[in-house]
Amino acid sequence: MISRRDLLQAGTLVLLLDRAHIARGAAIVAVRVWPAEDYTRVTLESDTALKAKQTFIAQPPRLAVDIEGIELNPALRELVAKVLPDDPNIAGVRVGQYAPGVVRLVIDLKQAIKPQVFTLRPIEPYQHRLVFDLYPVTPPDPLAQLIAQRLGPQTPLTPSSTAPAQPGHDPLGELIARQVDKSPLTAAPPIRGGKTDRLIIVAIDPGHGGEDPGAIGRNGTREKDVVLRIARRLRDRINAASVNGHTLRAFLTRDGDYFVPLHVRVQKARQVQADLFVSIHADAFYTPRPQGASIFALSHGGASSSSARWMAAKENKADLIGGINVKSEEAQVQRALLDMSTTAQIRDSLKLGGTMLQEIGRVGKLHKPRVEQAGFAVLKAPDIPSVLVEAAFISNPEEETKLNSETYQEQLADALMRGIEGYFAKNPPLARSRSL
């Protein structure tokens, strides 16, 4: 029988432990840096929520952050070595104990940035996160980059060449048209619509990335890694192809290991005036049995099956795992705009998906013999035919092995390319009517 004295001693021990925990404050358990041309993300993961005050200094550009309630520990010191020399935005990091319970973090920058600092609540597999998203004040122009790639090194795309000369004048649109004359390919008659010849742009969207690994196979294969490899293979095929004599160009929504919010993926595709949007995934189911590739299009109403509904709900959680600043006004506006998808977009997406599915069926198993539909957030571009390709089930051990196979990656990229060509053969792209 436990005596009153034993209970009192136990209570004292609990009280002492609690005081020690309070005195210790939060502890940093991991630090991560995700560099990209679009933006660089710095993440501090801790066992309890952190409070921070930040100040941006313009000359020289740097971000000073005071983090309250923590002491400098080895995990936090690792941040200094995490910054790579080729980071487009961060020159270096300094960290030190500024005062008792306050750590000062100084991020030296290579250019002027617009910082977004926010916290994320715990979600599997992460604890509390303090996030610094460092966006360049002058972001890269992806459409100008695509045109510059097509024109080649002999014809640089300078700011003066992209500045409108008069109201209504669209020099970038003219460059899209004019580049065909510089191609060694034989120029075909103008694309249906009769307005202009132009680049045909296919946006390729490798799912997940950065903080969001996507699904993970039994042998440790991460979805974000394998889909990026497939996307790059498809990019190479698109960049080497033409449709009716008109040059194709691929645009990747991410070309590295960093997180891109769902609405930004669509926003990027619209920014380059993409003709098609192809999102590539290799998802998991809650059992290892499902196998085969699938293709999904958007649905205005309900999902075409319970599994399609489950897949869409799972994919739409990517922003929670990858980490999006929910207080960002721009993000809220963009999400509202992407709810304007049209019946025509869905119709064309089903055509594209059907052509692709037929080609994929020649190189591997299909999970379903038809294009399925559900409310995938990443497919909501109102003016771009959009499909989501599930290359295989990474949760199936046999298919995980296949996804890591260069042979299957090549076969899948070939099949997707044939699907794109087959779609354009029956549905010639219209001349551009959208403004930049």
Side-chain angles (χ1 to χ4, degrees):
M1 182 175 179
I2 300 175
S3 67
R4 184 171 180 271
R5 181 178 179 181
D6 292 335
L7 287 172
L8 288 172
Q9 288 177 338
T12 302
L13 177 61
V14 170
L15 180 61
L16 289 172
L17 287 172
D18 187 58
R19 284 178 178 172
H21 176 76
I22 293 172
R24 177 180 63 83
I28 302 295
V29 298
V31 295
R32 294 178 291 276
V33 180
W34 307 100
E37 189 177 21
D38 292 355
Y39 78 110
T40 294
R41 167 170 288 192
V42 177
T43 303
L44 307 182
E45 186 178 354
S46 58
D47 57 358
T48 57
L50 298 175
K51 292 183 180 180
K53 297 178 181 178
Q54 71 271 2
T55 304
F56 177 70
I57 301 96
Q59 292 297 333
R62 60 196 186 277
L63 181 67
V65 184
D66 288 339
I67 307 171
E68 302 175 359
I70 65 171
E71 301 294 327
L72 192 58
N73 71 351
L76 194 51
R77 291 182 189 275
E78 289 180 6
L79 185 59
V80 176
K82 296 272 187 178
V83 177
L84 302 177
D86 60 352
D87 189 306
N89 302 297
I90 300 180
V93 172
R94 291 170 283 152
V95 61
Q97 194 72 47
Y98 179 67
V102 179
V103 167
R104 172 159 290 183
L105 180 69
V106 179
I107 303 175
D108 296 309
L109 301 161
K110 293 181 178 178
Q111 58 180 315
I113 59 100
K114 294 183 292 185
Q116 288 191 19
V117 182
F118 55 98
T119 58
L120 295 170
R121 295 179 179 178
I123 184 171
E124 185 65 30
Y126 299 114
Q127 300 186 53
H128 296 269
R129 284 176 287 172
L130 176 62
V131 178
F132 307 89
D133 282 349
L134 309 174
Y135 291 92
V137 170
T138 306
D141 184 339
L143 181 54
Q145 290 175 337
L146 281 176
I147 297 169
Q149 290 171 12
R150 182 63 191 92
L151 292 175
Q154 301 301 318
T155 314
L157 191 62
T158 62
S160 60
S161 69
T162 62
Q166 58 188 23
H169 180 53
D170 182 4
L172 280 181
E174 288 185 1
L175 282 167
I176 292 174
R178 223 170 33 239
Q179 56 77 30
V180 176
D181 298 330
K182 297 178 180 291
S183 170
L185 300 171
T186 302
I191 294 174
R192 179 166 57 90
K195 291 185 178 181
T196 182
D197 296 335
R198 60 174 176 83
L199 282 177
I200 297 174
I201 299 172
V202 180
I204 309 172
D205 176 51
H208 309 281
E211 295 281 289
D212 177 18
I216 300 177
R218 182 177 296 180
N219 295 317
T221 303
R222 300 183 301 187
E223 180 182 3
K224 68 174 182 177
D225 297 330
V226 72
V227 298
L228 181 57
R229 293 197 290 270
I230 295 170
R232 286 171 172 167
R233 294 181 190 277
L234 179 57
R235 174 193 61 190
D236 294 343
R237 285 157 173 76
I238 291 172
N239 287 345
S242 63
V243 172
N244 295 328
H246 299 287
T247 302
L248 270 71
R249 269 291 174 269
F251 168 74
L252 265 62
T253 59
R254 71 172 179 95
D255 194 10
D257 189 11
Y258 56 94
F259 174 68
V260 183
L262 297 174
H263 74 278
V264 175
R265 296 170 186 265
V266 182
Q267 183 182 353
K268 283 186 168 190
R270 299 191 75 203
Q271 188 177 1
V272 300
Q273 300 188 12
D275 296 277
L276 299 178
F277 180 90
V278 181
S279 190
I280 302 178
H281 293 254
D283 217 332
F285 207 61
Y286 49 78
T287 70
R289 291 190 300 273
Q291 58 181 324
S294 305
I295 292 186
F296 296 87
L298 188 64
S299 170
H300 263 322
S304 57
S305 68
S306 58
S307 60
R309 185 183 305 109
W310 186 88
M311 284 285 196
K314 188 173 183 295
E315 292 294 352
N316 290 347
K317 290 180 180 178
D319 282 348
L320 296 176
I321 299 170
I324 183 174
N325 184 3
V326 294
K327 296 180 181 178
S328 170
E329 182 178 344
E330 180 183 358
Q332 296 173 27
V333 171
Q334 289 297 328
R335 282 196 295 268
L337 289 174
L338 298 183
D339 283 332
M340 299 164 56
S341 298
T342 64
T343 301
Q345 185 260 24
I346 293 176
R347 180 195 64 219
D348 290 341
S349 300
L350 290 170
K351 290 179 181 178
L352 172 62
T355 305
M356 284 183 163
L357 199 67
Q358 184 178 11
E359 295 296 337
I360 294 174
R362 296 178 179 177
V363 300
K365 295 181 179 179
L366 296 177
H367 182 62
K368 292 287 181 67
R370 65 183 184 281
V371 179
E372 295 210 77
Q373 292 180 261
F376 290 88
V378 78
L379 300 181
K380 289 188 176 183
D383 44 5
I384 306 174
S386 305
V387 294
L388 186 145
V389 179
E390 292 287 359
F393 280 90
I394 206 169
S395 51
N396 182 306
E398 292 182 3
E399 297 217 320
E400 180 185 4
T401 300
K402 185 169 69 172
L403 283 167
N404 282 306
S405 161
E406 289 190 12
T407 300
Y408 179 69
Q409 291 178 19
E410 293 281 350
Q411 290 175 340
L412 181 63
D414 284 337
L416 294 175
M417 186 68 232
R418 290 195 300 270
I420 291 170
E421 291 172 329
Y423 171 81
F424 280 130
K426 296 180 179 179
N427 305 274
L430 296 170
R432 292 191 192 281
S433 57
R434 299 189 297 276
S435 60
L436 295 177

